[in-house]
Amino acid sequence: MAIDDPDASRVRVDNVGKQYTGSQGPVQALEDVSFEVEPGEFVCLVGPSGSGKTTLFRVVAGLESPTSGTVSLNGTPVTEPNADMGIVFQEYHLFPWRTVHGNIAFGLEQAAMPADERERRVQHLVDLVGLDGFEESYPKDLSGGMKQRVGLARALAVDPALLLMDEPFGAVDAQTKEMLQTELLEIWEQTGKTVLFVTHDIEEAVKLADRVVVMAKDPGRIRDVVEIDLPRPRSRTDEAFGEYYERVLELVRA
Amino acid sequence: MATDVRQEVERSESGEQGVGFPLTDIDLRRLLFGIGGIAAFVGLWWVVSLFQPAYILPSPVVVAETFAAEAASGEMTTALGQSVRHWLPGAVIGTGLGIAVGIALAWSPLVDDISSPVVRVLRPVPPLALIGFAIAWFGINHAGAAFIIAVGAFWINFYATYGGVEGVSEELLDVARSLGVQGDLQQIRSVVVPAASPEIMTGIRTGIGRSWMLVVAAEIFGVPGIGREILRASNNLQVDVVITYILVLSIMFLIVDTAFRAAQRRVLAWR
Ligand SMILES: Nc1ncnc2c1ncn2[C@@H]1O[C@H](COP(=O)(O)OP(=O)(O)OP(=O)(O)O)[C@@H](O)[C@H]1O
Ligand SMILES: [Mg+2]
């Protein structure tokens, strides 16, 4: 699962603006947003509710087109969702009619991968996210944490250049959340994926990210970018961790 | 059009509720109550029939005898075979077209905008009102009767499918596209149809029920089959024969519906 071409995953967001027509007139969900995510980098996006995090996630994923500006992945403009990005939602959005195995295999079937190779790959991913023994379970029978493991494995299956996640651990309990964070970091270190991770949990951002992009609202824009220069695994009881936390918190509240 | 469709689907669903025979449920209580209910119904029928002449209401015993006689003479199998020859193609074609058109309209706003006025004009036309067309286009034959049945099955499946497809979550389609699904056909095949399959299956099942009812209507103008036997017996005041063939219809419906329910449960095991 190592990436072949480490340059294939640089994200460029260039002067992106996005206007929605809400019920009370136009809403500037994003204004003049520019940043880059380096290949292999883990970037977290935090900000108050309504600061445009989800909007930015959707624009980068190609699910929504910006009103102005451009997004590119390794130099290629992003205009629609494609297999270069794996997306993971807070609400999982698994295919309920498919088993764990079937969900993970979905993207591989689209890519017409030979059956035996596909089997090996699915099994590898099942192992990677720790779902052995649940291959034939349907989503309805899984806990939230397990569902999100499937969501992650499904996104990773097609070996996307970029992993995009919108509050992926927002719907699971605190303990499961910690476990999933640790597992995600392990997977990230193993695969070297570029990750853009939206969260409103500042602690989560400081724990995971190489850099934290802090957004502000009305209009949605980037307030500041904080580089987290701490070795992993990080402990929140660490003094330096606390300092970063305070700094990001202040920026979010400002 | 959206709300129309929801109401339509709900109506068609609720209209058919409670017809499910509890045989397939491994629930002894329900089974016993069901058998008890049937016994009570037949008992009541029998008691009432004691005070009525046979041309008003024959007793269950007489009907059972007639049933046996009709079955033994081969009349019943012949009539049933005739009915199946238009019921089956009518139900299959109507169901298939209903699902296909339902998907097309619900999936494409353009197709929907173009077709929606036509749909609204055609919708209130009862299948029976089309008998004239059936005769003119197909003649008094199996094809004509199949046409009537197909029209009935079409609308039920159309509305059920339309509602189901409309309810498919955008996010599932987003995910699918990010996993390499491209183009309308692929999206329909890999996401829309499976996601809407519960509603589609409900439509098929409701449509099967309706199409058995339409068998009688479709045979009014002279196509042979069970409906024809019922109409003929009615004219001769042979109430026992009428009830016999009504029972045949019920039994056929029950068999097909039970089989379909079992299939439905297997296909929708993920729910
Ligand atoms: N489809 C839409 N139509 C109209 N307005 C929208 C739409 N989507 C988002 N908005 C508006 O854009 C702004 C940014 O919303 P967005 O969902 O991106 O914020 P967020 O940072 O993800 O918030 P949260 O933390 O609550 O998830 C909000 O004011 C929101 O109301
Ligand atoms: Mg959001």
Side-chain angles (χ1 to χ4, degrees):
Chain A
M1 277 198 56
I3 45 169
D4 308 325
D5 173 9
D7 271 344
S9 42
R10 183 190 306 273
V11 183
R12 272 187 76 116
V13 177
D14 242 336
N15 290 310
V16 162
K18 176 77 189 178
Q19 197 174 50
Y20 285 115
T21 345
S23 44
Q24 291 120 0
V27 179
Q28 198 68 36
L30 292 174
E31 192 175 76
D32 210 10
V33 172
S34 300
F35 67 96
E36 282 192 22
V37 186
E38 302 293 322
E41 195 182 15
F42 199 129
V43 168
C44 279
L45 217 53
V46 300
S49 185
S51 57
K53 304 183 295 294
T54 295
T55 307
L56 187 52
F57 161 87
R58 293 184 61 85
V59 169
V60 173
L63 299 172
E64 208 116 30
S65 46
T67 331
S68 59
T70 55
V71 173
S72 65
L73 182 58
N74 189 35
T76 315
V78 175
T79 51
E80 54 184 20
N82 60 62
D84 286 336
M85 346 213 186
I87 54 181
V88 179
F89 291 97
Q90 174 176 346
E91 305 83 6
Y92 325 117
H93 296 304
L94 301 180
F95 302 116
W97 61 89
R98 283 176 168 247
T99 60
V100 167
H101 180 284
N103 267 279
I104 299 174
F106 186 94
L108 304 173
E109 289 166 17
Q110 310 306 319
M113 179 182 271
D116 54 339
E117 200 183 331
R118 186 171 73 214
E119 272 323 293
R120 253 181 287 127
R121 180 133 184 93
V122 172
Q123 205 47 57
H124 168 73
L125 284 154
V126 166
D127 289 344
L128 191 70
V129 297
L131 281 173
D132 305 76
F134 291 94
E135 289 90 339
E136 298 313 316
S137 303
Y138 285 105
K140 67 163 176 161
D141 296 324
L142 303 178
S143 69
M146 288 159 88
K147 281 185 195 159
Q148 202 51 297
R149 291 194 170 93
V150 179
L152 183 60
R154 176 179 66 178
L156 287 169
V158 291
D159 202 13
L162 171 68
L163 198 53
L164 274 163
M165 312 175 90
D166 189 4
E167 308 208 21
F169 308 146
V172 297
D173 62 86
Q175 265 174 304
T176 312
K177 186 172 184 164
E178 291 234 344
M179 248 161 68
L180 289 171
Q181 287 168 347
T182 310
E183 285 171 30
L184 176 64
L185 279 180
E186 276 168 18
I187 290 169
W188 171 67
E189 272 157 14
Q190 261 183 55
T191 60
K193 293 276 172 225
T194 307
V195 180
L196 185 58
F197 186 107
V198 174
T199 176
H200 62 247
D201 178 345
I202 295 168
E203 190 181 301
E204 181 170 58
V206 174
K207 184 173 174 190
L208 298 177
D210 291 320
R211 275 190 305 149
V212 177
V213 175
V214 183
M215 304 198 49
K217 64 191 273 184
D218 298 322
R221 62 195 187 278
I222 293 180
R223 163 148 291 145
D224 208 345
V225 180
V226 180
E227 193 154 334
I228 311 291
D229 195 8
L230 284 176
R232 294 185 182 87
R234 297 168 180 166
S235 157
R236 67 185 142 190
T237 51
D238 216 63
E239 198 177 323
F241 190 102
E243 279 162 21
Y244 278 117
Y245 179 91
E246 289 301 328
R247 208 166 123 207
V248 175
L249 181 65
E250 237 162 74
L251 286 166
V252 170
R253 283 186 176 160
Chain B
M1 162 137 209
T3 42
D4 277 14
V5 166
R6 289 244 171 69
Q7 286 165 1
E8 189 81 28
V9 170
E10 273 161 24
R11 231 180 292 139
S12 66
E13 274 174 16
S14 58
E16 293 291 323
Q17 251 165 31
V19 290
F21 197 67
L23 250 182
T24 48
D25 295 358
I26 316 163
D27 185 341
L28 201 61
R29 220 176 87 103
R30 276 186 69 193
L31 184 67
L32 287 176
F33 277 132
I35 291 173
I38 291 173
F41 178 75
V42 174
L44 185 67
W45 168 11
W46 183 69
V47 171
V48 174
S49 74
L50 290 178
F51 304 99
Q52 305 289 339
Y55 65 87
I56 300 282
L57 185 67
S59 84
V61 181
V62 172
V63 170
E65 282 165 7
T66 310
F67 195 104
E70 290 287 319
S73 72
E75 296 264 347
M76 191 183 281
T77 2
T78 311
L80 186 57
Q82 300 274 23
S83 282
V84 168
R85 277 180 64 190
H86 45 264
W87 172 77
L88 191 62
V92 168
I93 292 170
T95 301
L97 283 179
I99 293 172
V101 175
I103 291 173
L105 264 69
W107 179 249
S108 159
L110 179 70
V111 177
D112 196 18
D113 289 345
I114 295 171
S115 324
S116 149
V118 181
V119 166
R120 281 157 160 254
V121 169
L122 290 182
R123 173 59 190 132
V125 179
L128 260 181
L130 299 173
I131 280 186
F133 292 105
I135 294 175
W137 294 344
F138 301 99
I140 301 177
N141 52 28
H142 288 302
F147 170 72
I148 301 289
I149 292 166
V151 171
F154 173 86
W155 286 113
I156 290 169
N157 282 283
F158 168 76
Y159 278 106
T161 304
Y162 190 106
V165 171
E166 252 201 342
V168 175
S169 105
E170 274 308 314
E171 283 82 6
L172 280 188
L173 289 163
D174 288 344
V175 171
R177 276 181 281 147
S178 82
L179 291 169
V181 172
Q182 284 167 336
D184 292 317
L185 279 182
Q186 259 196 58
Q187 288 182 68
I188 287 171
R189 194 174 50 86
S190 65
V191 179
V192 173
V193 169
S197 60
E199 288 84 358
I200 295 177
M201 299 284 271
T202 302
I204 297 176
R205 194 170 155 220
T206 315
I208 289 174
R210 183 69 49 87
S211 61
W212 276 115
M213 295 181 200
L214 281 171
V215 160
V216 179
E219 292 170 7
I220 278 183
F221 58 94
V223 180
I226 293 172
R228 193 77 216 132
E229 294 305 316
I230 291 176
L231 294 168
R232 199 186 356 235
S234 299
N235 291 337
N236 299 338
L237 294 182
Q238 293 170 302
V239 184
D240 53 334
V241 179
V242 172
I243 297 177
T244 293
Y245 280 99
I246 287 175
L247 280 176
V248 173
L249 274 184
S250 301
I251 292 167
M252 284 312 292
F253 167 73
L254 219 64
I255 292 171
V256 177
D257 190 61
T258 305
F260 188 78
R261 241 169 49 133
Q264 189 179 24
R265 207 164 298 170
R266 188 157 325 151
V267 173
L268 300 182
W270 51 271
R271 285 222 295 177

